[in-house]
Amino acid sequence: MKQAFLFLTLSVLMCSLVVFKIATLQAESTGAQESTSETIKTPFAEGCNKCHGDEDAYKEWTQAGHSHALVNLLEGPYEVKTSCLSCHSSGYTIFAERGIPGHPYNEKTAVNAVACSSCHSHASKEEHLLVLPAKKLCVTCHKMDCGCAGAGIVHQSQTEMFLGREGAGVKRMPSPHVRAMKKRCVHCHMAKKDATPQPPLSKGDNQIKVAKHGGHTFKADFSTCGNAGCHDSADNDMTVKLPLYRAEIEAKMQEVKTVLNNAEDKDSQAYKDAKLNYDMVKGDSGYGLHNIPYARALLEHGLSLKLQLSPAKDQ
Ligand code: HEC
Ligand code: HEC
Ligand code: HEC
Ligand code: HEC
Ligand code: HEC
């Protein structure tokens, strides 16, 4: 009887130990993937939140795309290589260069999303401790050519569209915003005006103002267009003009798509050029939002190849 009791107590103990261990492991791994957990026991966790976790920047960041970059990569439909981490996980570049003996940095050990240290370093001399001047920062990752050729992935084309380059058969045509906006992408994507106070946090009653757009959510908001005396007059109102642009570009896209569908030789250079231009426009928010004049030129070049692409059908 005594033995049976001992055995029972022991097995209950063992069971709860196992359950406890699994629970902590799960907590660790989910925390690691969201990279928001307080202290992750890995040499790769950046740990900025220990000191900066109460700030607007941190709260905003947790609400938007960059904080999901690692999970989306690992759970996404493509084969993940270590090199993908250079843009999808901060720390990769630092650790790949310097390395920590016995701790390889790869898709199995990565813990950070596109987190604070992708853009900031206490060792930097730039304004706001940025690792690169604001105008050069976003374009290091946001480009079509991710260097992952062969993986079958087309990354979005906002940078190429904004700077008006890489299209086929069309001269360079930077968006007028390139000259007007010293901080480029940051100008629109970090403009902040809808900050709403959050409920008091446990530490005192500091109210954190978390924006739904702009700031460290990096989400652009069309209301920014009317800021700073830019598109604020009746004849320059973007809420009126943009839908018109969009309709025009979408109609042209449809025409190019028809040309592509009817093309006879899908290996020809003309086909590749027309398709590249179409994909670039589509890859920028669906209709070439970051540079409408360039989108128009890209599609018009695509249409100009119509005769070459399907000579028989057009005669
Ligand atoms: C270290 C590489 C890197 C840098 C630098 C970077 N991004 Fe990103 N960005 C990403 C990745 C990766 C994603 C995709 C996240 C995902 O999985 O949805 C992304 C997503 C986004 C999105 C979509 C967000 C959403 O909520 O869906 C916007 C907008 C954006 N970035 C803007 C910017 C701007 C503006 C800058 C410069 C201030 C910038 N990014 C700098 C890698 C980067
Ligand atoms: C994708 C790049 C990027 C990431 C990731 C990023 N920042 Fe920033 N951060 C910037 C840029 C760009 C500025 C400067 C904005 C400006 O010049 O208007 C900035 C400014 C700041 C500032 C000063 C001004 C402000 O907005 O409060 C703080 C503090 C800051 N960041 C903290 C953080 C912290 C903490 C994290 C991690 C949660 C983080 N940042 C992640 C790009 C980034
Ligand atoms: C031990 C605490 C501590 C840690 C850890 C820490 N910081 Fe800081 N950070 C500070 C202090 C203190 C300042 C200066 C005061 C201020 O401006 O908030 C500062 C300033 C900054 C600023 C400048 C903000 C501005 O207004 O321009 C940025 C950006 C920043 N840190 C980013 C980071 C990043 C990225 C990490 C992680 C790699 C990090 N910090 C880790 C304490 C810390
Ligand atoms: C040069 C930087 C860079 C490299 C390298 C890179 N990516 Fe990305 N990736 C981005 C950026 C920026 C985004 C967000 C916007 C976009 O789609 O372009 C993104 C988005 C994605 C998305 C869509 C995320 C979502 O919102 O669901 C997937 C999937 C993806 N990348 C997979 C990969 C894979 C797989 C690799 C490696 C073979 C890779 N990426 C390498 C920069 C990069
Ligand atoms: C003139 C202002 C402006 C500039 C400059 C700008 N953007 Fe945008 N961006 C926008 C607007 C507006 C949207 C659309 C947001 C929406 O649909 O709600 C957008 C959309 C995006 C998206 C898609 C976001 C999503 O949620 O899918 C990405 C990624 C992006 N921009 C990256 C960039 C990058 C990188 C740069 C710099 C090369 C840049 N943008 C420059 C205004 C701007």
Side-chain angles (χ1 to χ4, degrees), residues 65-66 134-135 137-143 156-163 175 177-178 181 183-189 213 217-225 231 242 246 283-287 289-290:
H66 284 153
K135 66 182 265 192
L137 186 62
C138 319
V139 304
T140 56
C141 296
H142 282 270
K143 50 188 181 185
Q156 292 180 22
S157 55
Q158 284 92 9
T159 291
E160 288 80 359
M161 289 299 297
F162 184 61
L163 299 177
S175 154
H177 289 146
V178 173
M181 297 175 176
K183 293 185 180 177
R184 297 192 175 173
C185 325
V186 167
H187 194 101
C188 297
H189 282 268
H213 289 102
T217 68
F218 298 99
K219 285 190 180 144
D221 178 356
F222 288 103
S223 70
T224 309
C225 312
H231 300 278
L242 198 66
R246 183 171 182 162
D284 183 6
S285 305
Y287 59 100
L289 167 79
H290 287 88

Side-chain angles (χ1 to χ4, degrees), residues 46 48 52 55-62 66 114-120 127-128 130 134 137 183 186 190 192 215-216 218:
E46 57 175 11
C48 316
H52 293 284
E55 294 169 8
D56 302 9
Y58 190 79
K59 303 281 168 197
E60 286 159 5
W61 173 81
T62 56
H66 284 153
V114 175
C116 319
S117 61
S118 285
C119 303
H120 298 282
E127 192 190 3
H128 298 307
L130 289 172
L137 186 62
K183 293 185 180 177
V186 167
M190 294 185 80
K192 195 157 104 171
H216 282 73
F218 298 99

Side-chain angles (χ1 to χ4, degrees), residues 83-118:
S83 63
C84 311
L85 298 173
S86 61
C87 298
H88 284 262
S89 173
S90 51
Y92 170 77
T93 316
I94 302 165
F95 291 113
E97 275 167 14
R98 295 193 210 138
I100 301 180
H103 293 282
Y105 194 75
N106 56 39
E107 60 280 14
K108 293 194 183 67
T109 57
V111 285
N112 303 313
V114 175
C116 319
S117 61
S118 285

